[in-house]
Amino acid sequence: MIASLRGVVSHVGPSSAVLDVNGIGMLVQATPQTLSGLRPGSEAQVHTALIVREDSMTLFGFADPGEREVFEALLSVSGVGPRLALAVLAVHTPEAIRVAASTGDDKAFSKVSGIGPKGARRIVLELADKLVPHGSEETPAGVPAWNDQVLSAMTGLGWSEKDAAAAVDATAAEHPDAAASGNVAEILRLTLRRLGQDGTRRAPQKQAG
């Protein structure tokens, strides 16, 4: 398996990039977020997953091993291929995907083009025990690591950063034991409940214009 590539970026397109690795141009499919960090003419490293099919071999690139881990977990779901898994990562951050899977938030996956309600429920069901939110350690500034993770999940669900931050702060104050545990899934569930959500209904849509 080709686990990573390091080389000079020779081309960046809307859905792929080419890295010149010792004179060989390697085409890598990636999300817009990963591609945005690549600059033609600059050296870069991408973590990769090689997908081999009967008639093709395709490299998918990721900014870090954690993103690749989530991609590979998505591939384990029935009916989810590499293109669809990449589409999920284009819509949600890896941590937001972990939180959605662990909290049973199938609506988050329904936001991805190509995934219907049944497919979203299947993803949640099959990933529940495979993807869990990361750690609960404190950041150098004294802010718990789960804070950014919960906020990322909330904004991914459609809440504004201001409303999400206020709700998360209130949840931490009202449920100090949950905050101290650093359990992202539990803190997110309590925050959604505070906002009048049950974890299955879609967050309010932002007003246009």
Side-chain angles (χ1 to χ4, degrees), residues 18-197:
V18 176
L19 269 66
D20 187 327
V21 182
N22 296 324
I24 300 175
M26 306 293 286
L27 179 66
V28 179
Q29 306 291 324
T31 64
Q33 296 93 317
T34 296
L35 293 170
S36 68
L38 303 178
R39 297 289 182 271
S42 299
E43 185 176 73
Q45 178 179 17
V46 293
H47 300 270
T48 58
L50 176 62
I51 305 299
V52 179
R53 295 287 186 261
E54 185 176 340
D55 58 350
S56 67
M57 295 175 64
T58 307
L59 274 172
F60 292 86
F62 310 94
D64 56 64
E67 188 178 32
R68 181 179 60 195
E69 181 182 355
V70 171
F71 174 81
E72 292 174 339
L74 286 165
L75 290 182
S76 71
V77 177
S78 303
V80 176
R83 304 289 180 183
L84 192 55
L86 205 65
V88 175
L89 281 164
V91 174
H92 299 295
T93 66
E95 189 62 22
I97 294 171
R98 289 177 177 277
V99 171
S102 64
T103 58
D105 179 23
D106 55 308
K107 294 297 184 182
F109 295 103
S110 294
K111 293 181 178 182
V112 180
S113 177
I115 299 180
K118 290 184 179 179
R121 286 193 292 273
R122 183 169 61 249
I123 290 173
V124 166
L125 180 64
E126 296 188 26
L127 289 186
D129 296 327
K130 296 179 181 179
L131 290 179
V132 295
H134 283 146
S136 60
E137 68 277 4
E138 297 284 322
T139 66
V143 178
W146 58 256
N147 190 77
D148 284 346
Q149 296 167 15
V150 175
L151 287 178
S152 176
M154 295 292 295
T155 55
L157 292 171
W159 299 99
S160 69
E161 290 186 12
K162 180 179 178 181
D163 289 344
V168 170
D169 288 345
T171 297
E174 293 177 2
H175 302 277
D177 290 343
S181 74
N183 187 319
V184 173
E186 176 66 9
I187 296 168
L188 177 60
R189 184 184 67 79
L190 292 170
T191 304
L192 289 173
R193 177 186 293 175
R194 177 180 179 79
L195 288 169
Q197 299 293 303

